Structure formats: structure tokens, C-alpha cells
Amino acid sequence: DVKVTQSSRYLVKRTGEKVFLECVQDMDHENMFWYRQDPGLGLRLIYFSYDVKMKEKGDIPEGYSVSREKKERFSLILESASTNQTSMYLCASRTGGVETQYFGPGTRLLVL
Amino acid sequence: AQSVTQPDIHITVSEGASLELRCNYSYGATPYLFWYVQSPGQGLQLLLKYFSGDTLVQGIKGFEAEFKRSQSSFNLRKPSVHWSDAAEYFCAVNGGATNKLIFGTGTLLAVQP
């Protein structure tokens, strides 16, 4: 089975802190994704990566950056956390193309 | 632009009753369609997907969905709902040059005993 893990299930940070969310997949998938999920808005794509060291902006990249130094790991960085970044963050991976995306359990981030 | 509409925000059904969750999409070419389920506090799990071929697709947990091109719909069905089916359900379409998934806003299903 594909396994996508995220470093934290719950995280509490203060405004202005730098926040790192880590995602690791164990299936040698080329593509990885970061979404945020908010009630009534569904899932919105923040950034995605087609391969190592490659990244592309999604629909809501403002306030976020990403890093993919190794194929299995995709990090989401909040350079200076703000209260409007309080949300559920979901990571996903897939082999490529139109194949199924597999999701991690999510990180619920609270920014105070 | 591609989009997905799930017109029902909340649905409540009785245990043992049938279920249909609606999904409409907007996409010019043949879409690749997915249904995911999210249990409380969890990530998303794939229920089923449609790429091509038979328009009635079977998924896990007794779910099925039917692709109707003429109605731009991909509705999810289950003949008899179990209490464990209470969750949020997301429809998604994949397409375009970047092959990104576009999600609907979700339907929250409650199951009454």
C-alpha cells in the first residue's frame, strides 16, 4: 500500500514564526502536492512538484514556499505564519499524469 | 476553466437507506473523475475513479458511480448506508495540461440510526 506521512497531526504556532510541514511518501512517486482545506471551500492547491527540485505554483501560493530536495520528501514552508493560515494542510503524491493521488492524514495548523 | 460542483453541502440519511451524492463537472474534453471520502480528522481515501470504458464504476465499501456525459455528472451511490459511512465526500476532476485535480467543496453525510 502507498503510504504518505506528514510530520505532525496538530501544530500550534505564533504569528510571525517560520513553520515547516513535512511530507514523505514511500512509493517512489514523481508528483507531490500540498493542499489546504477549509470548511466550505474544499481543497485548494498551494504548490505541486513534478520531480525533484521542480515546483510549480498552485491556485493559492501566496505566503507559502516549498522544497523538494529528495524524491520522497516535499516540504511546505510558511515564511512568516499569519492567523489566516490556520487550516488543515494535506499532502498527496502520485506516479504521474492522471493517476490517483494518495493523501496523507493531514496537519491541522493553528496560528495564534 | 474546469470546475466541480457538489450542490449538497449536508445530507442526512437513515441507516439502511439508499444514498446518492451529486457531482457536476465542467470540462471540455473527456474528464478523469474521482470520488474521495474523508473521515473526521483523517486524510482523503479514494473510493473510485472513472477514466474510460464502462460508465458505471464500482468502488470500495459498496459504492458505485455513474458517468453521464450528457448531464456532465458523476453521481455517487450506495444502496444501503451504514453508520460508518458518515464522512465528507469529495468529487474531483483531473484534466488539462497540468493534470491537476480540481475538487468540489464536499458533501457532509450524516447517518441517523
Side-chain angles (χ1 to χ4, degrees), chain A residues 21-107:
Chain A
L21 303 183
E22 302 283 331
C23 175
V24 177
Q25 50 94 1
D26 67 355
M27 285 302 292
D28 203 35
H29 284 172
E30 292 182 350
N31 302 168
M32 296 188 74
F33 305 81
W34 275 107
Y35 296 89
R36 66 176 281 175
Q37 181 182 13
D38 301 288
L41 297 178
L43 276 75
R44 294 179 291 167
L45 182 64
I46 305 171
Y47 267 97
F48 60 105
S49 169
Y50 284 127
D51 208 338
V52 177
K53 296 192 186 294
M54 297 178 67
K55 59 185 178 184
E56 289 199 32
K57 293 179 180 179
D59 300 316
I60 51 164
E62 296 78 21
Y64 304 94
S65 62
V66 290
S67 172
R68 191 156 180 215
E69 295 297 318
K70 294 186 177 182
K71 193 171 188 179
E72 68 270 18
R73 188 180 299 269
F74 191 34
S75 302
L76 179 69
I77 304 153
L78 287 64
E79 295 289 342
S80 177
S82 64
T83 55
N84 63 14
Q85 292 179 309
T86 291
S87 187
M88 173 75 134
Y89 290 88
L90 291 164
C91 175
S93 72
R94 73 178 178 196
T95 52
V98 298
E99 292 303 319
T100 300
Q101 289 189 25
Y102 295 89
F103 284 81
T107 296

Side-chain angles (χ1 to χ4, degrees), chain A residues 9 35 37 40-43 45 48 50 58-59 88 90 94 97-101 103-105, chain B residues 32 34 36 38 41-44 46 49 51 88 90 94 97-105:
Chain A
R9 294 299 303 273
Y35 296 89
Q37 181 182 13
L41 297 178
L43 276 75
L45 182 64
F48 60 105
Y50 284 127
D59 300 316
M88 173 75 134
L90 291 164
R94 73 178 178 196
V98 298
E99 292 303 319
T100 300
Q101 289 189 25
F103 284 81
Chain B
Y32 300 96
F34 302 80
Y36 283 88
Q38 185 180 34
Q42 303 298 315
L44 275 67
L46 180 72
K49 61 186 178 184
F51 283 5
E88 192 159 20
F90 292 93
N94 191 121
T98 57
N99 284 318
K100 294 188 291 184
L101 266 185
I102 307 297
F103 285 88
T105 51

